């Protein structure tokens, strides 16, 4: 929902929650999609982020997902000795 706006502004979850007068835990649940948001909280978050409330309702633009499983990171072997 927040579409990375807070992170792009350099705002921490704690600072955003405080500015919107909500708990950090509620904000975290909201970002994970574990709870719904009412109009009052939506407007508070928009005000804290200095955007219009409608900007928080737009669908996030995500990069195209690559098919298949992601490759595991290769690690360098340490010399035995």
């Amino acid at each position: 929902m927040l579409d990375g706006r807070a992170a792009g502004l350099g705002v921490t979850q704690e600072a955003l929650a405080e500015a919107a007068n909500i708990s950090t835990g509620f904000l975290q649940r909201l970002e994970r999609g574990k709870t719904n948001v009412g109009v009052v909280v939506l407007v508070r978050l928009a005000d804290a982020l200095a955007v219009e409330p409608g900007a928080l309702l737009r669908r996030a633009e995500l990069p195209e997902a690559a098919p298949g499983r992601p490759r595991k990171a290769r690690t360098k072997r340490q010399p035995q000795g």
Side-chain angles (χ1 to χ4, degrees), residues 13-14 17 22-35:
Q13 286 181 335
E14 292 80 10
I22 60 175
S23 72
T24 303
F26 179 78
L27 179 61
Q28 291 170 343
R29 288 190 306 276
L30 184 62
E31 287 185 338
R32 289 192 313 267
K34 300 294 182 185
T35 191

Side-chain angles (χ1 to χ4, degrees), residues 3-78:
D3 193 22
R5 288 183 225 304
L9 296 172
V11 178
T12 64
Q13 286 181 335
E14 292 80 10
L16 178 58
E18 184 176 332
N21 197 27
I22 60 175
S23 72
T24 303
F26 179 78
L27 179 61
Q28 291 170 343
R29 288 190 306 276
L30 184 62
E31 287 185 338
R32 289 192 313 267
K34 300 294 182 185
T35 191
N36 292 320
V37 64
V39 174
V40 172
V41 173
L42 182 74
V43 171
R44 286 181 188 171
L45 287 168
D47 288 346
L49 293 168
V51 298
E52 292 294 320
L56 300 180
L57 298 174
R58 278 187 251 148
R59 184 177 299 275
E61 294 180 20
L62 301 174
E64 185 76 26
R69 290 185 173 179
R71 292 187 174 179
K72 290 185 178 180
R74 297 181 88 171
T75 58
K76 292 184 180 181
R77 289 188 173 181
Q78 298 293 326

